[in-house]
Amino acid sequence: MVKEIERAGIPIVQMCNLVPVARTVGANRIVPTISIPYPLGDPGTEKEEQWKLRRHRTKVALEALATDVKEQTVFRV
């Protein structure tokens, strides 16, 4: 589905913890996350730490969305 949305001219960022799977399905912009049940957080940490983590990953995803890519790219977090 990611590939079809991109073909329609809409840039997509796939945030996932299984980067090899995202590559296999053809995602062009990939932002790694933390885990399957908690992709943007860790319930074992303080709320402030979780907020910082989520904010950072979301910022990376927005920057990835604004980046022109020619091939599959995994963005560093």
Side-chain angles (χ1 to χ4, degrees), residues 2 10 16 18 20-21 33-34 37 40 43 45-46 48 52-54 56 63 65-67 70-74:
V2 172
I10 302 169
C16 63
L18 299 172
V21 173
T33 59
I34 298 165
L40 294 178
T45 61
E46 298 288 326
E48 184 176 318
K52 287 179 185 178
L53 183 63
R54 289 179 181 146
H56 173 70
E63 289 169 357
L65 192 60
T67 302
K70 302 293 184 216
E71 58 188 33
Q72 288 183 316
T73 306
V74 178

Side-chain angles (χ1 to χ4, degrees), residues 47-60:
K47 284 191 176 201
E48 184 176 318
E49 187 64 32
Q50 287 185 50
W51 185 84
K52 287 179 185 178
L53 183 63
R54 289 179 181 146
R55 182 173 170 88
H56 173 70
R57 300 276 169 143
T58 303
K59 182 180 176 191
V60 171

Side-chain angles (χ1 to χ4, degrees), residues 7-42:
R7 274 188 214 152
I10 302 169
I12 294 291
V13 175
Q14 183 164 355
M15 299 179 76
C16 63
N17 69 323
L18 299 172
V19 173
V21 173
R23 285 182 181 268
T24 301
V25 299
N28 286 328
R29 295 170 186 85
I30 304 166
V31 175
T33 59
I34 298 165
S35 68
I36 291 173
Y38 305 104
L40 294 178
D42 179 359

